[in-house]
């Protein structure tokens, strides 16, 4: 295995973006692509590490950039951009879709693509699904479940997995109940796993000073395995086989 990490410059209209492509350069057969969508902090080591983990499973992974080169590293601009994207899900979906196009263009990626998002990225991938993105699956990990545009059955193409912390104060169980109702009303093929003892951001070892956020190794391990099993089902074969 020869894991290659490559910075990729791309655009969403007037936004200059920089993502990270990670794949096994020793592969000869095409395989599914995984879009990795970062949390509120932006494209950080957590998103890069998750992308590398997917590449080690045999996928081509692309850790995308939702904010852009002009925003990265400026907390005030980051917070303003998050607020703007939350309020305008059409723009959020389009920004994430620009990352999907980077994946689709890679010569090692076949027609099968999924998206995994963490925290703000979890909300983002659910919005991709709600918007009818032509992808096989989305996974939201400790992401927001609220939306201003609930899912409509005829638009959905993706299977959905949500990994949620039972003690997450930022996504209370009332939001979970509303989400379940939304999915049921739309006839979605979805799974929801709730991890006991887990708070918001339970996969991020670096963590954050924000109250209600904490790393939880047990839930991180379990959700990682759940995602792996979900992709084995969605893609119907072991992608690590050449």
């Amino acid at each position: 295995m020869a894991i290659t990490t490559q910075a990729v410059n791309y655009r969403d209209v007037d936004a200059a973006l920089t993502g990270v492509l990670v794949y096994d350069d020793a592969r000869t057969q095409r395989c599914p692509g995984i879009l990795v969508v970062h949390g509120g902090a932006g494209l950080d080591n957590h998103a890069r590490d998750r992308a590398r983990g997917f590449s080690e499973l045999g996928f081509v992974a692309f850790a995308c950039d939702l904010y852009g080169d002009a925003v990265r590293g400026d907390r005030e601009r980051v917070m303003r951009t998050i607020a703007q994207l939350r309020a305008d899900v059409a723009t959020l979906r389009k920004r994430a879709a620009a990352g999907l196009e980077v994946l689709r263009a890679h010569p090692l990626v076949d027609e099968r693509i999924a998206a995994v998002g963490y925290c703000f990225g979890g909300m983002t991938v659910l919005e991709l699904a709600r918007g009818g993105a032509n992808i096989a699956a989305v996974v939201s990990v400790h992401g927001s479940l609220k939306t201003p545009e609930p899912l409509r059955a005829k638009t959905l193409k993706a299977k959905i997995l949500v990994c949620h912390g039972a003690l997450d104060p930022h996504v209370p169980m009332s939001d979970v109940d509303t989400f379940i109702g939304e999915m049921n009303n739309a006839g979605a093929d979805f799974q929801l796993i709730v991890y006991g003892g887990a708070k918001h951001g339970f996969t991020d070892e670096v963590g954050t000073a924000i109250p209600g956020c904490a790393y939880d190794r047990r839930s991180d391990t379990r959700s990682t395995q759940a995602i792996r099993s979900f992709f084995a089902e969605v893609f119907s074969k072991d992608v690590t086989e050449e």
Side-chain angles (χ1 to χ4, degrees), residues 82-98:
I82 291 175
Q84 291 169 346
L85 292 174
R86 282 183 178 274
D88 183 0
V89 293
T91 297
L92 178 61
R93 294 167 182 173
K94 188 169 172 294
R95 183 66 53 84

Side-chain angles (χ1 to χ4, degrees), residues 71-180:
V71 175
R72 186 183 307 108
D74 186 317
R75 177 171 173 77
E76 183 177 336
R77 290 183 178 181
V78 166
M79 298 307 294
R80 187 163 62 245
T81 300
I82 291 175
Q84 291 169 346
L85 292 174
R86 282 183 178 274
D88 183 0
V89 293
T91 297
L92 178 61
R93 294 167 182 173
K94 188 169 172 294
R95 183 66 53 84
L100 290 176
E101 293 310 308
V102 173
L103 263 180
R104 288 194 173 98
H106 195 279
L108 280 177
V109 175
D110 59 27
E111 72 282 357
R112 299 169 298 165
I113 289 179
V116 182
Y118 300 85
C119 293
F120 183 55
M123 170 188 170
T124 301
V125 300
L126 288 176
E127 289 302 336
L128 275 175
R130 290 179 174 115
N134 187 24
I135 53 179
V138 301
V139 181
S140 172
V141 185
H142 44 75
S144 175
L145 304 178
K146 284 185 174 180
T147 181
E149 297 183 14
L151 179 65
R152 294 185 305 236
K154 292 184 179 179
T155 65
L156 182 65
K157 299 180 177 67
K159 295 182 179 181
I160 295 172
L161 170 64
V162 170
C163 300
H164 176 68
L167 300 182
D168 186 342
H170 302 283
V171 187
M173 291 307 294
S174 58
D175 287 0
V176 175
D177 291 340
T178 299
F179 174 79
I180 291 172

Side-chain angles (χ1 to χ4, degrees), residues 174-222:
S174 58
D175 287 0
V176 175
D177 291 340
T178 299
F179 174 79
I180 291 172
E182 176 194 1
M183 294 295 109
N184 285 336
N185 289 337
D189 182 348
F190 80 103
Q191 301 176 47
L192 170 67
I193 305 175
V194 178
Y195 297 97
K199 298 181 180 180
H200 196 68
F202 60 77
T203 68
D204 192 345
E205 291 187 65
V206 175
T208 174
I210 297 175
C213 296
Y215 178 67
D216 186 85
R217 184 175 301 280
R218 181 175 60 182
S219 299
D220 184 15
T221 300
R222 288 174 173 174

Side-chain angles (χ1 to χ4, degrees), residues 35-83:
L35 182 73
V36 178
V37 189
H38 59 73
L43 181 48
D44 55 7
N45 287 336
H46 177 267
R48 292 186 182 92
D49 289 345
R50 299 290 153 157
R52 183 179 180 88
F54 289 122
S55 72
E56 290 171 350
L57 292 176
F59 299 104
V60 173
F62 182 60
C64 70
D65 174 14
L66 293 180
Y67 301 158
D69 299 344
V71 175
R72 186 183 307 108
D74 186 317
R75 177 171 173 77
E76 183 177 336
R77 290 183 178 181
V78 166
M79 298 307 294
R80 187 163 62 245
T81 300
I82 291 175

